[in-house]
Amino acid sequence: MKKTISLLMLALSATWIQALPNPLKLDQAIKISAKKNLFQQQQQLNIDHTQLQLNDLNNLYGTEATLDLELASRSNYSAASNNSHAFVYLKKTLFDQQIEINKSAQLSNIANAISTLEQIQHDKTLDIMRGFFDVVLADMTYETALEKLAMAAIREGRVKDDYDVKDASEVELLEKQTHTQVSQIERIKAESAQIKTRAKLAQLLDIDYANRPDDVVKPDYRQLFKKEIFEFEHYQQALNNNLKLKQLQQSLTAIKAQISQEKDNLGIVLSSNARLGDQAYQREKNGHWRVGLNLSMPFGTDTKQTNKISKLQLNARQKQLEIEQYQQTIEATALDYYLALKSLRQIHKALLIELDYRDLYLEKARANYEMEINSDIGHAMVNVTDSERKLAENEFNYVITLKQLHHLIGENYEI
């Protein structure tokens, strides 16, 4: 259906810089959003920052090298005695229990951050879809408003002609003029909705208001309704794949692993060292090189460690409770989505029948008009346009709900 853009909007957009494809398709809008999603970029920075922290922990196992250089003499030795030395010291940590515990925690943080990023991407896609659909519906509503206004103006004109020849009363004329003004108000509201919905979509796309989208392409989802949806049990069984649920379960697993590690944490640090070099004194006791292996661990009970384990155990119980509560929530939500889909599919069938009826009635009205038989062709045209808008709105609601249900079971459903 050809979209109608108001003269006011065209005037306001005269200085547009065509930053978007024109006409704009939904998949293009989603791709543009993915590139300019500020929240997504921020979350990616969080992931990168956490990865750097993990790298810092891994670097603690790197080899440290220091140079010890001294040119000196001792007062209680003869002036001929050389007390200088030159050594390179090498040290490498082979194992540190606390480092390993911290690494496990950082890996869990990265996994959680990635899950959060996926959720941000999904939420943004839904926002773009809703914004795009709102623009399409605003255009269809505006087209309906124009047809109503045209019909009202024609009826007013006919009564005005009759009034001029005394075949209609002033009351009848004022009635038709009132209908025209009401239709004019509806047109103005629809025109405003066109501007507002485009401005909202531009905001979602992170595009300046002056560059808001012009023409948009109405998506065609007729084929989607030919595909049967699964029974509710299918979605119910797949809820274990829910992204947030997996994130919570991963967090619980990480906490339990940390508890186990802390219980086994003896504070053991195993490191190796080497010294290479030479000195000018006591060579019989100090050779050119020396290597060693160091083992260190605390002695006695660590109160801080005991308190840390207690806090982790409390966190584990809280996380388990959160998982159980969320499982109940998503199962109820999945049922709501499923029932909504069933309802929307039935409404879709009813609207198709209504649209067929409106089309046939319009053909009849057009035929009567051409044969100069009394016809309500204007009213019939408005009804067809309005039925098309209702059908489109129902399809859009279906697509959004279907995408939400599949996201709930951890699937990225491509429409």
Side-chain angles (χ1 to χ4, degrees):
M1 180 184 298
K2 184 177 180 182
K3 305 300 183 296
T4 307
I5 306 299
S6 68
L7 293 176
L8 174 60
M9 179 176 291
L10 291 176
L12 289 174
S13 60
T15 58
W16 276 14
I17 300 174
Q18 294 297 331
L20 295 176
N22 190 26
L24 179 66
K25 297 180 180 179
L26 177 59
D27 60 336
Q28 293 172 327
I30 292 175
K31 289 179 181 177
I32 293 171
S33 170
K35 293 179 180 179
K36 307 188 73 172
N37 189 341
L38 300 181
F39 292 103
Q40 179 177 329
Q41 294 175 21
Q42 180 59 56
Q43 185 62 20
Q44 186 61 58
L45 290 175
N46 293 339
I47 294 173
D48 294 342
H49 179 70
T50 308
Q51 183 62 55
L52 288 175
Q53 292 177 324
L54 179 60
N55 293 342
D56 288 339
L57 292 173
N58 287 324
N59 291 337
L60 294 177
Y61 284 119
T63 302
E64 298 179 13
T66 57
L67 177 64
D68 184 6
L69 213 53
E70 183 175 296
L71 298 174
S73 62
R74 301 185 182 185
S75 59
N76 58 340
Y77 279 76
S78 65
S81 177
N82 185 355
N83 296 299
S84 302
H85 66 260
F87 287 105
V88 174
Y89 291 91
L90 301 175
K91 182 179 179 181
K92 178 178 177 60
T93 301
L94 302 177
F95 177 78
D96 188 322
Q97 281 189 303
Q98 190 58 52
I99 291 177
E100 294 302 312
I101 293 173
N102 293 340
K103 283 174 61 178
S104 297
Q106 289 301 91
L107 287 171
S108 177
N109 291 338
I110 291 175
N112 289 337
I114 292 175
S115 296
T116 301
L117 176 61
E118 293 175 350
Q119 184 64 47
I120 290 174
Q121 292 169 335
H122 168 77
D123 292 342
K124 187 66 173 182
T125 298
L126 280 185
D127 287 341
I128 293 298
M129 292 176 68
R130 289 191 181 98
F132 192 92
F133 294 158
D134 285 344
V135 172
V136 174
L137 293 174
D139 286 345
M140 299 182 78
T141 300
Y142 182 76
E143 188 169 342
T144 303
L146 280 183
E147 291 178 352
K148 286 183 178 181
L149 177 59
M151 183 175 63
I154 290 173
R155 290 175 176 174
E156 179 188 339
R158 289 174 179 172
V159 174
K160 178 65 167 59
D161 292 339
D162 291 341
Y163 176 77
D164 290 340
V165 295
K166 309 301 183 182
D167 286 340
S169 67
E170 185 178 1
V171 173
E172 291 175 310
L173 177 60
L174 288 174
E175 179 187 11
K176 298 304 179 184
Q177 289 177 339
T178 300
H179 290 165
T180 301
Q181 293 303 311
V182 170
S183 297
Q184 185 70 267
I185 293 173
E186 291 181 0
R187 183 199 66 81
I188 293 173
K189 289 181 179 180
E191 184 178 79
S192 298
Q194 282 186 303
I195 298 174
K196 290 178 180 178
T197 54
R198 279 171 167 77
K200 178 64 176 179
L201 182 57
Q203 182 183 13
L204 290 170
L205 294 173
D206 194 31
I207 294 173
D208 291 340
Y209 176 78
N211 300 329
R212 60 194 183 278
D214 185 357
D215 294 331
V216 295
V217 179
K218 176 181 173 292
D220 186 356
Y221 295 124
R222 288 175 295 180
Q223 295 298 322
L224 191 61
F225 286 86
K226 296 180 180 180
K227 301 178 182 179
E228 293 295 331
I229 60 175
F230 296 107
E231 295 298 326
F232 178 65
E233 288 73 17
H234 168 82
Y235 300 105
Q236 191 176 27
Q237 294 170 1
L239 286 175
N240 288 330
N241 297 322
N242 178 270
L243 290 177
K244 184 177 178 180
L245 180 60
K246 280 186 173 182
Q247 183 179 5
L248 292 172
Q249 291 171 336
Q250 289 171 355
S251 297
L252 177 59
T253 300
I255 293 173
K256 289 180 177 179
Q258 193 173 359
I259 291 173
S260 178
Q261 289 174 326
E262 288 292 349
K263 287 181 177 179
D264 296 335
N265 184 12
L266 301 177
I268 294 176
V269 178
L270 184 64
S271 61
S272 61
N273 61 79
R275 187 193 72 174
L276 306 173
D278 201 359
Q279 61 188 20
Y281 59 92
Q282 293 182 325
R283 291 191 178 184
E284 69 280 2
K285 294 183 179 180
N286 294 278
H288 295 284
W289 61 272
R290 182 178 67 191
V291 296
L293 192 64
N294 300 331
L295 174 65
S296 65
M297 59 182 293
F299 184 75
T301 303
D302 188 347
T303 305
K304 291 183 179 180
Q305 184 183 17
T306 303
N307 291 337
K308 186 175 183 180
I309 292 173
S310 297
K311 291 179 181 179
L312 288 171
Q313 290 173 333
L314 179 60
N315 290 341
R317 290 194 293 271
Q318 290 175 334
K319 190 65 66 175
Q320 180 62 50
L321 181 60
E322 187 177 353
I323 288 173
E324 294 172 1
Q325 291 174 336
Y326 186 68
Q327 285 175 325
Q328 294 176 354
T329 299
I330 60 175
E331 184 167 351
T333 304
L335 181 59
D336 288 342
Y337 288 154
Y338 178 78
L339 294 176
L341 287 176
K342 299 285 283 187
S343 176
L344 290 167
R345 288 179 71 89
Q346 188 59 43
I347 294 173
H348 180 263
K349 293 178 182 178
L351 288 173
L352 285 177
I353 295 174
E354 177 184 318
L355 184 58
D356 287 341
Y357 163 70
R358 299 297 186 192
D359 283 333
L360 288 174
Y361 192 90
L362 176 59
E363 290 181 12
K364 178 183 176 181
R366 185 177 289 114
N368 289 338
Y369 179 79
E370 291 174 353
M371 291 186 293
E372 298 184 357
I373 301 175
N374 186 30
S375 172
D376 58 348
I377 185 172
H379 187 67
M381 291 176 62
V382 170
N383 285 340
V384 169
T385 306
D386 188 56
S387 293
E388 288 175 341
R389 183 199 59 79
K390 290 191 295 183
L391 182 61
E393 184 175 10
N394 187 76
E395 288 179 351
F396 296 158
N397 289 335
Y398 182 85
V399 169
I400 291 289
T401 305
L402 187 62
K403 195 166 184 65
Q404 287 175 318
L405 178 56
H406 279 269
H407 176 72
L408 206 61
I409 62 174
E411 292 182 359
N412 182 23
Y413 190 79
E414 296 293 339
I415 304 298

